[in-house]
């Protein structure tokens, strides 16, 4: 026994010493990054180096080495060779010359070292990625700024860089691309660098040749040019434009504030992006071959805003430097104290082990024989009791949880497989250099929606069984809210919703469970966006009650609101408001209330010109138990699924399938779900001409376009599908149009309601697409058969034969008005439309839909059928028959009669006479 105890002590000590050394070993896994800075002595280059050092300091695993070449190509070649010899993980190069550095860069690339080109390019494609602004676009922006200033004649001076670098060539190219096309803008002269004497002579000639603008390729050149102009006394006669936009005492921003420059173009250093890209490359992540950074014009209109933003950035960088330094000191202190603590724990464990073992030996030997029999009896009794209780608990728990556990596994397993497969397809598409197809993104989005609904059901069960464990941590409320705010920001911009987050204390910190509060925010914001119309307003307001011990978080919108008599039911499970026509589970607000109450807080609702939810939480952590408080990082990963995002497929996804819509039947799809609406459109548009409506303008579109068939959802924003169908079926203009109802309601009552509203077909979701297309074709075929009957029995259609009340009334009136005016050759389509109280266009569409011919042909066919009967039954001459049926002349009558029946009126009468004689 003693040997076993010593073995345990030895193993424990070995594990403890291994743990002490583990932190040291972890420090060895670093990323070595070498940066070769080609140019020196320029403020922009200094800013690039500083930004890179700051960004590298934020990653403890990064070791950054910066070597400066100071404008000497040979020095830069040596610096890059040094990085190759040291076998750094990634080399970042800002090259001096595009040709001279090619051999050494290609050498490093051939050794397998990733190469990142920063700001400047080389004449080779053997590098990993290029990061920098679009210098052609920089030139264009400067030119467009000048061109937009006036429509009058403009004279411009251009000061280019004095080297052959890619920025110098590309900026000049973009500048000339725009200005050379403008007849009112003239580039008087282009300088390479700033030759002082030549430039002075040009300035001295300003009295004769007026110059309006001077564009220099960087702020430093523009500043020197301004000084020369000031000494010549002409600095106020032309406007200066530079490039870089640095926030320093001699930078472009200060020059604008001092009135020296009219504008400067913000040219980002790309230092932050270079470090982050280097880390991604080291972690085997795929990066783009070319990463273009954005640029923007800074002038007197936005210079104050940009100055304030840069000042804040500088302040934050200073804070970050101090924090990084403090963290390093704390880490060293932590490592030493941690090792000391582990050593103390080890010694204590050894002492306790020996003490316990000694006590055990003393008492065990004395009591072993006496207690052996008694213990056996007790063990037997306890074992029987435990087995009985365990069986009862097992049966109870099995009955209670098996359903939800089994259901969640049944749902989540196939969903996981679907999501994994879709992710694999998306990755394959990306690896092939193509964008995932619209249908793959659609499956991914809706699978995530389904997973979120299942998680809500499981959360509901946990709440009911009180199985949630609070894990409250200290959290900055504004930063937490801002993370979720950004997840909905793109949806707000897309729908032009004014979405704002405000607080009276950005440093406010509270204790709450981030996971649960994340779900509360998501439910409340999802509801706000769901029920707020486009161009609406949504606010998140965080108010710190500085005199009290609580904080309120308010979610306010100007949506449809909640009826006053239903306010008390809002937080009940499965409740759905009477004015809510959206699909919803009815448990989101119930879960939100339960989650807030777990924090001992409260949530309240009010509704006036929208809805307002107010959450009240306590400050501090005294209202939580000690086991409910944990420590988490200050910055959390808000990994939310954006259910409101809209999938926008490429225009080329279906371009090959789309053909001319000239002879296609038209379909109006009334559906407020944009994904389903777009899916149906792109599936059907190859065979049909498609029109879309979200339900708000359904009847207007139907009246305007008179489609051949209508597909309508039931749950729509203003009127439901049954109401829309009933309106269209009772209106003369649209009563003939076949209507298909799509709905998730599969009960008998809904089916009967659909038939009563006049629907021709009722399909429940999820529907089979093949059944839908075949149903459309069948309805159109049946309509065509009815149309054939109409066209072959034009003058025989009377009110005595019923084939649909609205159509019967329309055709009867149509034939009646034509018959009354049959001998009137001046009776036109406009007169007929006026008699029927509809527009000429609507009459044309109605007749075309029912009979398949235009109105003029229908009138002629009606007259010809009457004339044919007259030829059979009357003794009138052909001329008399022609005039009685409203034809302008017998010759015209004979022509159209022969075109329809294949013989002239005279031949027709003779052939009928011969038959009668026989």
């Amino acid at each position: 026994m003693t040997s076993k105890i010593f073995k345990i002590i030895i193993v424990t000590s070995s594990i403890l010493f291994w743990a002490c050394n583990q932190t040291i070993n972890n420090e060895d896994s670093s990323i070595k990054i070498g940066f070769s800075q080609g140019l020196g002595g320029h403020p922009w280059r200094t800013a690039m180096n500083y930004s890179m050092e700051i960004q590298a300091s934020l990653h403890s695993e990064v070791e950054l080495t910066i070597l400066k070449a100071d404008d000497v190509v040979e020095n830069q070649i040596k610096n890059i060779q040094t990085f190759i010899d040291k076998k750094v993980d990634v080399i970042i190069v800002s090259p001096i010359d595009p040709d001279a550095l090619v051999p050494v860069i290609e050498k490093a690339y051939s050794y397998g070292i990733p190469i990142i080109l920063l700001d400047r390019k080389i004449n080779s494609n053997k590098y990993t990625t290029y990061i920098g602004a679009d210098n052609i676009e920089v030139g264009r922006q400067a030119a467009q700024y000048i061109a937009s200033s006036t429509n009058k004649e403009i004279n411009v001076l251009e000061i280019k860089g004095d080297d052959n670098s890619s920025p110098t060539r590309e900026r000049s190219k973009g500048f000339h691309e725009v200005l050379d096309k403008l007849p009112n803008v003239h580039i008087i002269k282009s300088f390479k660098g700033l030759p002082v004497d030549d430039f002075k002579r040009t300035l001295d000639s300003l009295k004769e040749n007026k110059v309006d603008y001077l564009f220099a390729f960087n702020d430093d050149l523009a500043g020197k040019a301004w000084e020369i102009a000031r000494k010549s006394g002409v600095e106020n006669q032309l406007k200066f434009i530079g490039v870089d936009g640095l926030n320093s005492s001699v930078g472009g921003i200060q020059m604008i504030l001092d009135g020296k420059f009219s504008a400067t173009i913000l040219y980002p250093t790309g230092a932050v992006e270079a470090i982050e890209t280097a880390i991604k490359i080291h972690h085997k992540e795929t990066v783009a071959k070319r990463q273009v950074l954005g640029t923007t014009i800074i002038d007197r209109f936005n210079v104050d805003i940009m100055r304030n933003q840069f000042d804040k950035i500088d302040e934050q960088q200073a804070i970050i430097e101090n924090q990084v330094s403090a963290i390093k000191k704390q880490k060293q202190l932590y490592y030493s104290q941690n090792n000391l603590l582990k050593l103390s724990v080890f010694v204590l464990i050894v002492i306790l082990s020996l003490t316990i073992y000694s006590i055990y030996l003393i008492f065990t030997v004395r009591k072993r024989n006496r207690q052996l029999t008694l213990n056996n009896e007790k063990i037997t009794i306890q074992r029987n009791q435990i087995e009985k209780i365990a069986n009862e608990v097992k049966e109870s728990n099995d009955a209670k949880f098996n359903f939800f556990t089994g259901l969640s596994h049944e749902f989540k397993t196939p969903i996981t497989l679907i999501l994994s497969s879709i992710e694999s397809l998306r990755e394959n598409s990306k690896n092939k250099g193509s964008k995932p197809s619209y249908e793959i993104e659609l499956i991914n989005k809706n699978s995530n929606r389904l997973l979120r609904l299942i998680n809500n059901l499981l959360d509901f069960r946990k709440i009911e069984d009180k199985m949630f464990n609070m894990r409250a941590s200290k959290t900055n409320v504004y930063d937490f809210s801002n993370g979720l705010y950004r997840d909905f920001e793109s949806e707000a911009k897309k729908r032009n919703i004014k979405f704002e987050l405000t607080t009276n204390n950005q440093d406010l910190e509270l204790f709450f469970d981030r996971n649960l509060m994340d779900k509360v925010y998501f439910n409340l914001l999802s509801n706000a966006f769901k029920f707020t119309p486009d161009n609406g307003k949504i606010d998140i307001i965080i108010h710190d009650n500085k005199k009290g011990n609580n904080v309120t978080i308010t979610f306010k919108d100007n949506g449809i609101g909640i009826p006053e008599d239903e306010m008390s039911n809002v937080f009940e499970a499965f409740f759905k408001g009477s004015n809510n026509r959206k699909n919803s589970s009815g448990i989101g607000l119930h879960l939100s209330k339960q989650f807030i109450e777990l924090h001992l807080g409260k949530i309240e609702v009010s509704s006036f010109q929208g809805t307002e939810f107010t959450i009240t939480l306590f400050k501090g952590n005294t209202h939580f138990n000690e086991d409910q408080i944990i420590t988490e990082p200050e910055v959390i990963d808000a990994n939310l699924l954006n259910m409101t995002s809209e999938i926008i497929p490429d225009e080329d996804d279906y371009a090959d399938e789309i053909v001319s819509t000239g002879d296609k039947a038209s379909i109006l799809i009334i559906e407020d779900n944009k994904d389903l609406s777009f899916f149906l459109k792109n599936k059907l548009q190859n065979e049909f001409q498609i029109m879309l409506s979200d339900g708000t303008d359904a009847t207007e579109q139907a009246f305007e376009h008179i489609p051949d068939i209508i597909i309508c959802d039931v749950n729509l924003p203003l009127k439901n599908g049954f109401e829309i169908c009933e309106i269209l079926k009772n209106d003369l203009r649209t009563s003939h149009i076949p209507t298909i109802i799509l709905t998730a309601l599969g009960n008998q009552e809904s089916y009967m309601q659909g038939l009563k509203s006049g629907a021709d077909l009722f399909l429940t979701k999820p529907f089979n697409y093949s059944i839908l297309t075949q149903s459309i074709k069948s309805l159109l075929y049946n309509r065509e058969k009815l149309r054939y009957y109409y066209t072959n029995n034009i003058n025989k259609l009377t009110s005595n034969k019923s084939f649909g009340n609205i159509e019967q009334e329309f055709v009867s009136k149509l034939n009646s008005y034509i018959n009354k005016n049959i001998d009137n050759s001046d009776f036109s389509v406009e007169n007929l439309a006026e008699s029927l109280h509809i527009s000429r266009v609507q009459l044309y569409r109605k007749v075309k839909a029912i009979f398949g011919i235009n109105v003029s042909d229908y009138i002629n066919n009606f007259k010809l059928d009457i004339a044919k009967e007259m030829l059979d039954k009357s003794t009138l001459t052909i001329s008399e028959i022609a005039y009685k049926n409203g034809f302008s002349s017998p010759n015209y009558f004979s022509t159209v009669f022969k075109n329809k029946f294949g013989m002239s009126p005279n031949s027709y009468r003779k052939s009928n006479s011969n038959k009668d004689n026989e």
Side-chain angles (χ1 to χ4, degrees):
M1 182 64 72
T2 304
S3 61
K4 289 184 179 180
I5 294 296
F6 280 114
K7 287 181 181 178
I8 292 172
I9 293 173
I10 291 171
V11 171
T12 305
S13 61
S14 300
I15 293 173
L16 194 61
F17 280 116
W18 174 84
C20 292
N21 294 326
Q22 191 64 27
T23 55
I24 298 173
N25 295 333
N26 289 338
E27 293 179 350
D28 295 335
S29 58
S30 60
I31 304 174
K32 297 177 181 179
I33 301 175
F35 174 41
S36 174
Q37 175 62 275
L39 304 178
H42 191 282
W44 189 82
R45 296 287 168 179
T46 304
M48 177 189 288
N49 298 342
Y50 178 70
S51 297
M52 195 171 290
E53 289 171 344
I54 290 294
Q55 190 65 23
S57 69
L58 298 178
H59 299 275
S60 58
E61 75 276 16
V62 172
E63 293 182 9
L64 175 65
T65 303
I66 299 178
L67 297 180
K68 302 175 183 178
D70 295 325
D71 302 353
V72 180
V73 174
E74 291 76 12
N75 289 346
Q76 190 163 32
I77 294 173
K78 291 178 182 178
N79 292 343
I80 296 173
Q81 184 60 50
T82 300
F83 290 141
I84 296 173
D85 296 338
K86 289 184 177 180
K87 298 180 179 180
V88 298
D89 297 305
V90 182
I91 297 178
I92 303 172
V93 182
S94 181
I96 300 174
D97 187 84
D99 297 310
L101 296 175
V102 169
V104 70
I105 290 177
E106 289 186 346
K107 179 182 178 181
Y109 188 77
S110 67
Y111 284 177
I113 302 175
I115 302 295
I116 299 175
L117 298 181
L118 184 59
D119 176 50
R120 295 184 170 206
K121 303 174 184 175
I122 61 172
N123 293 327
S124 172
N125 62 353
K126 291 185 178 181
Y127 58 88
T128 306
T129 184
Y130 164 76
I131 299 174
D134 187 342
N135 283 288
I136 293 178
E137 183 61 25
V138 169
R140 289 172 181 163
Q141 287 179 329
Q144 289 165 356
Y145 180 83
I146 293 171
S148 64
S149 63
T150 180
N151 293 325
K152 298 178 180 179
E153 294 292 320
I154 302 174
N155 293 329
V156 182
L157 291 178
E158 177 188 23
I159 301 179
K160 300 187 289 187
D162 57 0
D163 55 12
N164 192 35
S165 63
S166 57
T168 297
R169 289 182 279 106
E170 291 175 356
R171 290 177 191 177
S172 181
K173 179 181 178 182
F175 191 65
H176 283 266
E177 274 184 4
V178 175
L179 294 188
D180 290 348
K181 297 177 182 178
L182 300 176
N184 65 315
V185 181
H186 312 285
I187 301 177
I188 301 301
K189 193 168 186 178
S190 292
F191 297 95
K192 187 171 183 179
L194 187 59
V196 177
D197 295 335
D198 191 12
F199 184 64
K200 282 183 178 180
R201 285 193 296 272
T202 302
L203 293 179
D204 292 338
S205 67
L206 285 181
K207 296 178 181 179
E208 299 176 2
N209 298 314
K210 182 176 178 293
V211 176
D212 302 285
Y213 283 92
L214 182 147
F215 171 51
F217 280 25
N218 58 55
D219 288 338
D220 187 46
L221 282 174
K224 291 176 181 177
W226 184 89
E227 284 294 335
I228 296 172
R230 183 185 62 80
K231 292 177 181 179
S232 299
V234 295
E235 74 275 11
N236 294 324
Q237 296 182 27
L238 68 163
K239 298 177 181 179
F240 292 80
I241 301 173
V243 178
D244 286 345
L246 290 179
N247 183 34
S248 64
S249 59
V250 294
I253 290 178
Q254 186 61 45
M255 292 294 186
I256 296 174
L257 291 171
D258 293 342
K260 297 178 181 179
F261 287 4
S262 293
T264 183
I265 299 174
L266 178 61
Y267 189 75
T269 63
V272 173
E273 292 80 0
I275 293 296
E276 294 300 323
T277 301
I279 295 172
K280 288 181 179 179
I281 293 173
H282 183 74
H283 290 153
K284 309 300 182 184
E285 296 183 30
T286 303
V287 297
K289 187 74 174 178
R290 187 168 182 260
Q291 302 181 46
V292 179
L293 305 179
T295 59
T296 186
I297 289 282
I298 303 174
D299 58 12
R300 60 189 178 88
F301 296 106
N302 62 354
V303 67
D304 290 326
I305 296 174
M306 298 299 291
R307 178 62 173 270
N308 292 335
Q309 291 295 324
F310 281 124
D311 287 344
K312 289 181 180 179
I313 291 172
D314 293 340
E315 292 175 6
Q316 290 298 320
Q317 286 184 335
I319 293 172
I320 290 171
E321 282 188 281
N322 294 333
Q323 290 179 340
V324 169
S325 176
I327 288 172
K328 289 181 179 178
K329 293 179 181 178
Q330 289 296 323
K331 283 177 68 176
Q332 294 297 326
L333 180 62
Y334 165 77
Y335 290 144
S336 61
Q337 291 180 345
N338 187 39
N339 291 335
L340 181 60
L341 176 62
K342 290 176 181 177
L343 184 61
S344 301
V345 170
F346 168 71
V347 173
L348 181 60
I349 290 173
V350 172
I351 295 173
L352 287 176
S353 300
L354 293 174
T355 302
I356 292 171
Y357 178 65
S358 300
I359 295 172
Y360 170 77
L361 289 177
I362 293 171
F363 285 94
T364 301
V365 173
R366 292 178 182 178
K367 297 181 179 180
R368 181 181 295 271
N369 294 330
R370 185 181 60 188
Q371 292 182 346
L372 187 58
T373 304
L374 181 61
N375 287 341
N376 285 337
E377 293 176 354
K378 288 182 178 179
I379 290 171
T380 303
I381 294 171
Q382 290 175 350
R383 183 188 62 195
N384 293 336
Q385 290 176 343
I386 291 172
E387 287 180 354
K388 182 180 179 181
I389 294 171
N391 289 332
E392 291 176 354
V393 171
K394 185 176 182 301
E395 291 175 359
S396 175
N397 288 339
D398 286 347
K400 192 173 184 180
F401 297 116
N402 273 353
F403 175 75
F404 277 94
T405 303
L407 188 64
S408 67
H409 281 263
E410 289 297 324
F411 279 179
K412 295 182 85 170
T413 299
I415 291 175
T416 301
L417 292 173
I418 292 171
L419 288 172
S420 300
S421 301
I422 292 302
E423 188 60 30
S424 177
L425 291 174
R426 294 173 72 192
E427 287 299 321
N428 288 339
S429 297
K430 290 178 182 177
N431 292 337
K432 293 177 181 178
S434 62
K435 184 178 179 181
S437 71
Y438 161 73
E439 290 175 340
I440 289 178
E441 294 290 359
L442 188 65
I443 295 170
N444 182 59
K445 173 182 174 182
N446 286 279
S447 296
N448 280 316
R449 284 183 179 174
L450 185 57
L451 182 60
R452 199 160 43 246
L453 291 173
I454 292 170
N455 287 334
N456 276 343
L457 285 174
L458 295 177
D459 287 346
F460 178 73
R461 173 51 60 187
K462 287 181 181 179
I463 284 290
E464 293 295 306
D465 295 330
K466 300 180 180 179
M467 293 174 60
F468 264 111
N469 295 319
M470 283 291 298
R471 295 172 59 82
S473 59
K474 192 175 184 180
T475 305
N476 183 295
V477 183
Y478 180 79
D479 291 343
F480 177 85
S481 303
N482 194 41
L484 288 157
Y485 166 87
R486 288 195 299 270
D487 290 327
F488 286 86
E489 192 173 19
S490 61
E491 175 69 5
K493 290 180 180 177
K494 190 189 312 174
R495 295 173 53 194
N496 198 28
I497 292 175
K498 187 178 182 182
F499 185 32
E500 294 181 345
L501 168 65
T502 57
T503 181
N504 65 337
N505 183 3
Q506 289 193 8
D507 298 322
L508 175 65
E509 294 183 329
L510 294 178
F511 279 83
F512 55 72
D513 187 315
R514 296 178 183 177
N515 179 44
L516 299 185
M517 196 60 67
D518 182 284
K519 294 179 180 180
V520 172
Y521 270 65
F522 193 86
N523 277 326
L524 295 178
L525 287 174
S526 296
N527 283 342
F529 276 90
K530 186 187 295 184
F531 298 112
T532 299
D534 293 351
N535 305 309
K537 189 176 189 296
I538 298 174
D539 292 311
I540 305 174
I541 305 167
I542 305 169
H543 179 72
D544 179 10
N545 184 7
K546 297 182 180 179
K547 295 183 179 180
N549 190 36
N550 58 50
V551 174
T552 60
I553 306 171
T554 302
F555 298 80
K556 186 177 182 181
D557 64 65
N558 65 344
I560 63 175
I562 302 170
E564 186 175 355
D565 58 342
E566 297 177 2
M567 298 282 282
S568 59
N569 302 323
V570 166
F571 297 107
E572 292 182 3
F574 311 115
F575 172 77
K576 187 175 180 180
S578 59
N579 60 343
N580 178 8
R581 292 185 178 272
K582 303 283 186 178
N583 292 324
S584 61
S585 61
I587 62 174
L589 290 177
H590 174 73
L591 287 175
S592 298
K593 184 175 187 292
Q594 298 297 322
F595 291 158
I596 294 300
E597 289 179 349
L598 285 174
H599 291 79
L600 302 183
K602 63 179 180 178
I603 181 170
E604 299 167 299
V605 61
S606 60
S607 183
F608 176 73
Q609 294 182 349
T611 306
E612 182 175 315
F613 287 93
T614 302
I615 298 172
T616 304
L617 298 173
F618 289 111
K619 298 179 184 178
N621 60 3
T622 55
H623 52 291
F624 293 115
N625 298 329
E626 290 183 0
D627 60 347
Q628 293 178 326
I629 300 174
I630 63 170
T631 301
E632 287 186 275
E634 292 182 2
V635 180
I636 65 171
D637 182 17
N639 188 20
L640 285 174
L641 298 172
N642 190 2
M643 68 172 285
T644 58
S645 63
E646 180 181 24
I647 300 171
I648 303 176
D650 288 341
E651 294 178 359
D652 296 331
D653 283 355
Y654 298 93
D656 294 336
E657 302 178 13
I658 301 172
V659 296
S660 173
T661 61
D663 297 322
K664 294 180 181 179
S666 59
I667 299 177
L668 173 61
I669 299 174
I670 306 171
E671 170 62 65
D672 63 338
N673 184 296
K674 293 184 179 179
D675 290 338
L676 179 56
S677 179
F678 195 83
F679 174 81
L680 290 175
K681 175 187 175 183
N682 284 284
K683 282 292 186 182
L684 294 171
Q685 66 182 354
N686 191 42
E687 299 182 67
F688 307 99
Q689 181 180 353
I690 305 300
M691 295 163 284
L692 299 180
S693 170
D694 61 0
T696 57
D697 61 344
T699 54
E700 290 81 1
Q701 285 212 45
F703 293 148
E704 180 182 355
H705 299 292
I706 312 294
D708 294 303
I709 201 162
I710 293 174
I711 301 174
C712 184
D713 189 24
V714 170
N715 292 325
L716 295 169
L718 300 179
K719 297 182 180 69
N720 63 43
F722 299 133
E723 293 170 342
I724 291 173
C725 183
E726 188 171 0
I727 291 170
L728 297 178
K729 287 295 184 180
N730 289 322
D731 193 283
L732 175 63
R733 295 166 289 181
T734 54
S735 58
H736 64 280
I737 303 174
T739 303
I740 299 175
I741 293 289
L742 299 180
T743 180
L745 305 172
N747 53 64
Q748 186 175 356
E749 291 77 12
S750 300
Y751 186 78
M752 289 299 297
Q753 190 176 357
L755 294 178
K756 289 178 181 178
S757 67
D760 295 84
L761 189 63
F762 192 89
L763 294 180
T764 56
K765 298 176 183 177
F767 57 87
N768 185 287
Y769 175 74
S770 298
I771 294 176
L772 175 63
T773 54
Q774 189 57 49
S775 300
I776 293 171
K777 292 175 182 178
S778 297
L779 288 172
L780 291 174
Y781 175 73
N782 291 335
R783 181 62 58 177
E784 191 63 32
K785 287 171 64 178
L786 188 59
R787 178 184 295 163
Y788 178 80
Y789 172 77
Y790 290 164
T791 53
N792 285 278
N793 296 274
I794 289 178
N795 65 324
K796 299 177 184 178
L797 299 176
T798 65
S799 59
N800 296 326
K801 296 181 179 181
S802 176
F803 45 84
N805 293 334
I806 299 293
E807 281 79 10
Q808 178 183 7
E809 183 181 353
F810 171 76
V811 176
S812 296
K813 287 183 178 179
L814 182 69
N815 289 349
S816 175
Y817 287 125
I818 295 173
N819 198 36
K820 287 179 182 178
N821 296 276
I822 196 166
D823 58 348
N824 182 3
S825 60
D826 295 327
F827 185 71
S828 64
V829 175
E830 286 78 9
N831 300 134
L832 182 58
E834 184 178 353
S835 301
L836 292 168
H837 305 293
I838 58 176
S839 70
R840 183 182 184 279
V841 174
Q842 289 171 340
L843 175 62
Y844 172 83
R845 289 174 177 168
K846 184 75 174 179
V847 172
K848 184 75 174 176
I850 295 178
F851 299 102
I853 56 178
N854 59 46
V855 185
S856 300
D857 290 340
Y858 179 85
I859 295 172
N860 276 342
N861 288 343
F862 186 92
K863 292 179 178 181
L864 288 171
D865 283 350
I866 298 296
K868 184 180 177 183
E869 288 184 6
M870 288 184 173
L871 289 170
D872 288 335
K873 300 177 182 179
S874 72
T875 58
L876 296 173
T877 65
I878 293 174
S879 295
E880 290 173 335
I881 292 174
Y883 289 122
K884 274 189 172 292
N885 286 284
F887 291 98
S888 57
S889 68
N891 289 336
Y892 175 70
F893 168 63
S894 297
T895 300
V896 296
F897 189 95
K898 186 174 183 180
N899 289 339
K900 179 173 176 61
F901 298 110
M903 62 179 67
S904 66
N906 190 36
S907 300
Y908 177 81
R909 173 171 275 179
K910 287 180 180 179
S911 64
N912 279 3
S913 297
N914 293 335
K915 290 179 182 179
D916 292 338
N917 293 332
E918 291 175 0

